[in-house]
Structures are given as C-alpha cells and as structure tokens.
Amino acid sequence: MLKAILLDYEARSLVLADSAVGHGRMKEPLVHFMGLLRALNAYSNIPLTTLKDAPTPFSTGESPLTTPYPQSEIDKFQSLSPATWTEPTRFRFGDYTSVLGQSTLAAPSVFNWFLPDYTVPGTLAEAGLVSPEFQIATETNVVNRVNRLYSFALAALAGTTTYPGVDVDAPISITTSAAPEVKVSTALPGAATASTFLPEQTFVFNTSNWSTPRTVTVAAADDRRVEGNHTTQIRHSSTSSDIAYSNRTFDELTVNITDNEANGNARVILTESGGETLVVEGGGAGPASDTYDLVLGSAPSADVTIQITPAITYFGVNTTDVTVSPTSVTFTPGNWATPQTVTVTAVNDTHSEGPEIGLVSHVIQSADPVYAAVSAPSLNAIVGDNDNNGTYTVSVLQSANQTLVLEGGATDSYRVALRRQPTANVTMAINAGSQLTTAPTSLTFTTADWYVPKTVTVTAVDDAAVEGRHTQQISNAFSGGGYSVSNNFNATIEDNDGGSLIIAETSGSTDVTENFAGVPSGSNPILPSAALDSYTIRLGTAPTSDVTVTVAPERNPSKTSLWSKQAGYFLGDMNNNNSDQQKERIVLNYDFLINLYATTFAAMPGISGTPTNAQKQAAHFAATTAVVDKLDLLLAGGRLKAVGGSLALVDLNNTAIINPRKSIIAAVYSGYSTTRGNKVTDEPAFTNEIKARVRIAGYLVAISPASFISK
C-alpha cells in the first residue's frame, strides 16, 4: 500500500505538480524558517545541558520545568556516532508574530493561526480549493519573512568576526544559562544523592559555630565534550552585617576532573610567544608581526589540517585587521607533536579604529573522526592602529573590561594608546589614589610611538583597614603635543583584612571523575564516594553576626563553545552583578557547503596545476552549481533543479533561459571574482569569497518560490 501511494503518478509527477492548481501548499512561516536552521545546522552559545545543571527554580523565560531536564532526554539528541556527535544547544525565541507572522505557542485562537476553510480569491477559489496558510501570507508578513531569512542566512560565520551569527532577541541577562563543570553538595560522601548536588550552595556560620568545619562534597558534571583531564575552580564569598565578612571574596579551590570521554587528549594546543600576541600597523615603533605555535595533543589516525583565517571587518569593503602566514598547517601521524609556527602581521590600512582585537580562527579538517569533531581555540591578537583620528582622543583598554585587584595578591593591568599623532611628546600622569599603586606612575608617548599600546600594571595597597570590597578611581591625564584630555575609570579592590575562611582539602587535592561507572540505577541514587571528593570550610575569626558563605563553582568555562567565551559572550566568570550577561545569538554552520565548494573546485580539470582563467571560471561554475543544488535539496526538495533542468556556463548569458535556479547560480557565480583559484597568491580573498558565496546561495534558495511551498 505504501509503495502504491508513494509511487503513484499524482505523487511523483512534477509536471502535474507544477501545472495543477490543486497540488502543493504554502509552508507555514515557522516551518519555513526552521527548515533553514535545520538545513544549516544552526547552533547557539547555550548548551542544552544547562537545563540539567542549572539551579531551579528556573527564571522567567528559561523553562516551564520545575525540575532539572533529565539526562535521558538530553541523550536523545546524541547522534549514532559518538565520534561525530555535536553538543546540542538551546534556541530561545521571543514572540515572532511581528517578525514572521507566526510564533510558537501563541496562536490567537483555538483555530490556530488561520481558519481551516480560508481560501484566496481567484484561481483557488474558482477551483473550490481552500488555502488556510495564505490567510497569514499578507504582504507585510511575507516581506518580514524574507528579511528574517536575510538576517540569518547572511549572518557572519563563527571565526570571521567578534560576534558571529544573529541576535535572537535583544541581549539579555540569564544567570542560569552557564553550566558549571562541577557541582557541590552539603551532604557527606557516601550519603550524598544526585539531587543534593547543585551549582551553588550556601553555609551560615554564627557566633557559636563559626569554628566548626562544614563539609563541601564535590561531583563532576558529566558533559559530553572531549576535554581530557582538566581543572576548574570553586569560588568562595561571604555576606554579613559584620564588616569583617561583608562582601568578602576568599581563596578559590582548584578541582581536578578526570574526563570519561575517549580520546580526551585529542585537541589543538595554542601557545603565544611571550604570553600574548601584539602587533602594530606598519611596525615602526612596535612589532609589525608576532608569532604563536600550534600543536596537537595526541597522535591522529590521519592527517589533520588546520585552516587559519583572520576575522573580516567591513569598512566599505571587506578587510581584515591581521594577516597570517601560513594560512594552514598540516599535522601527520608522524609530526603531530612538533609545534608549527604561525606569523601574525597587522594590516597597515587607512582606517582610524584605535587599538583593537584581531580575531584569528582555526578550523580542523581531517579524515580522523576524532579530530574532525574537535574545536580548535581562536587567537585574539592586540592590534595597534597608526591612523589619525579627527581629534586628540585616547583609548584605554582594561583587561576583561574591568580592573580587579586583591590586597596582597593578584594584580591587573590596562593598555593605553593615543588616537592621533601628537605634535610633541605627550605625558600621561596617573593618579591611582591612596588605595592603589601603578607601574609605571606615568607614561610618555612620542611622535613615533603614539599608537603603540603601552601597559600599566595596577596593584592594591595592602593596608590593615577592614573595608570589604571597595573601589578606587584611576585618573589618567594627558598633556602636551596637542593633548589636554583625561580618562578615568574605577578599579575594584578585594580586601584581605578582617574575617578569613579556612579551606582544608581532605587529601591535599580535590579530585573528581565524570560519570563514574559505579553509579547505581534509580531516580535519585547515592553517588559512589570513589567518584567524589570533599573539603571543609570554617571561619578564621569569630563574627559579630551571622555570616553566609557562598560556595560557587565557576559557571561558564570556555567549554561552553568555541567562541562564546573568547568573543565576550560572557563578561566574566565571577558571580557578581553582571557576570552572566550574554549576547544570545544563533549561528548557521556552512562548513559542509564551504567544503563542498572547495572540493568541487579543486577536482576540476587543470586546477591542480597552473589553471587558465577559463579553467578557473569553469571550476567556480561547477562549485557554485554543486552548492546551489545541495541547498535546493535541503530547502526546496530538489524542485529548482527538477524544473530548471541542466545548465552550462554559457547558459548564464542566454536570455532565452528563464528559471529561478539559473538566476541564483548566475548571481552567486558572478557576484565575486571568477579568476581566483591559487591557494597561495589568492588568499585570504579566495577562501573569504567562498564563505560569502555559500551564504548568498543559502539566502537566495531560501527565498525562492520553491522553498515557500511543499509539494
């Protein structure tokens, strides 16, 4: 019966489907939109596991669940091949009624978004046919759908810009979105059940029990990432009306985590020379180039090629802040442990940008399924700008967008550069007040080095006053050479006076194991002690009132995704006022189409040698056609090619041939250079244009009439 239905002439005839008014229907806006996200492997910066590891109750907009999301449900998102499994992520959409004309769980009536008997006046009505979906296909809604597809399909790719993808809604602050790598319990090992482990615990000490040690039991959160054995931090802070314990931050505890995923050492290790990468445009008073090394963490089973691509910025034309050499490195099973050096050079452009971050991404290509699933870290290069601004202004760059120091402990730093060449030496006088010191205490910029970022190190004065967490303004006053400006900001100081917290590890270290094999079955089992570890905390001095100590594992380590942490999606790891603010964005993954374009191009005649322009044009046409046809299958069921038929390069100029597939291929093919093809002399333009071509193809196929309908 199924065979008869599926192979029936009416079900398979494209001629009948395209000529008979009764065949096919318009896709609902959400179906159409989600089809694009599914076809292009969309992902966000928020792992689905956050619903399992985040504390409950969930905040508004997070989840209607009253309990953590079950691991058994998360496991359903896992593919059949663990080596190629990708961590599932969450999409949180607001009301899309005004954006698409439809929104999830928000139908205006029990009849859904449209009436079941709605019909469009004209041909459909005359044929006695209904067309419910057309009721919301107003001119405004269709234009909005096209615009929404544009913003998603053409959004920047990961690794090509600081903030890839597109905002789902306005940036929001969600404290539960960042998952910890360990969780803590107040129960003792041997009695601690799974439900007692939370991302944060509090302990209350009073005037009677302040010296009694309290046990903190630690368990590893079982993620599905290949990380190898690694570490995380547990932070400790206190609040109290006793000034000695008011807003205090204490020592962190390092936890060693044994990873339970196979091939845990399969990773790319990036080491910057001198601990950072600093380049300046044009060199001169500063380094025009700097270097870093890449090396693998374990032997691969096949060659591993890492494509190295600087991020694109736009100043009328696409450009980059830095260039790299080489643009790719290859590790073999024989040389995987030998570091390979990459040189980063500042692009000496004419754009006044000030000191900035030049992002360099690394994408792995390998037949080794383990390394093919590994994410390589990105590089953030500091770039000094030698172009004059219109006015005498300055740039002050704080590390992590803040300056945080500890009395008797950690220091911090900030960088300073001028934005316009001075007429003579410029002196920057630093006034750090009574709570801070700086090194140096002043800076001098000359007419030669004015654009080279200079570093100022900030240290807290280790006084004896009990102050709790407090701030101190740092004033930077610039004078001379045309400058008469100041730039001031506040530094946060953690006090080390007053109360203290005594932390005692049970065996000199804290070691836990992911998903220990001995976990018993049941809805809330007691976790085996061998998978856990514990330590104790107590106050160092008697308080005058109750003290609440918060024990909080760091909430958003870089493992949340390749780019979410590095590109600033989280402002910091600490649980303070705005540390969990996120720029929630969705990114489309065009990697498979980029690879399809590149491999199709490379396989064409003559390309492997010294191709002629005609051979390169033929290769670009073949690669463009392959990408458009792949998108046609994913988004339009192959109807563009089925209707348009075969197409040759010469047909693009044949005005007698009119069909959407030809128009899309022509637009993508001719939109960029068709004579680039040398991976040495034409980089990075060749690769960057491939990335642009596939995104334009994605958008044009998504808005084609064939993608709007189902047949």
Side-chain angles (χ1 to χ4, degrees), residues 27 29 32 99-100 141-149 708:
K27 294 177 183 175
H32 187 196
V99 176
L100 293 176
N141 284 346
V142 171
V143 169
N144 286 340
R145 286 171 69 177
V146 170
N147 289 340
R148 179 56 35 159
L149 292 170
F708 271 77

Side-chain angles (χ1 to χ4, degrees), residues 633-670:
L633 285 172
L634 294 171
L635 300 174
R639 288 184 294 276
L640 289 174
K641 183 177 181 180
V643 174
S646 62
L647 198 68
L649 178 57
V650 295
D651 294 332
L652 298 186
N653 296 319
N654 186 345
T655 56
I657 300 176
I658 302 174
N659 62 70
R661 177 170 175 261
K662 173 199 169 185
S663 299
I664 294 172
I665 291 174
V668 176
Y669 169 79
S670 60

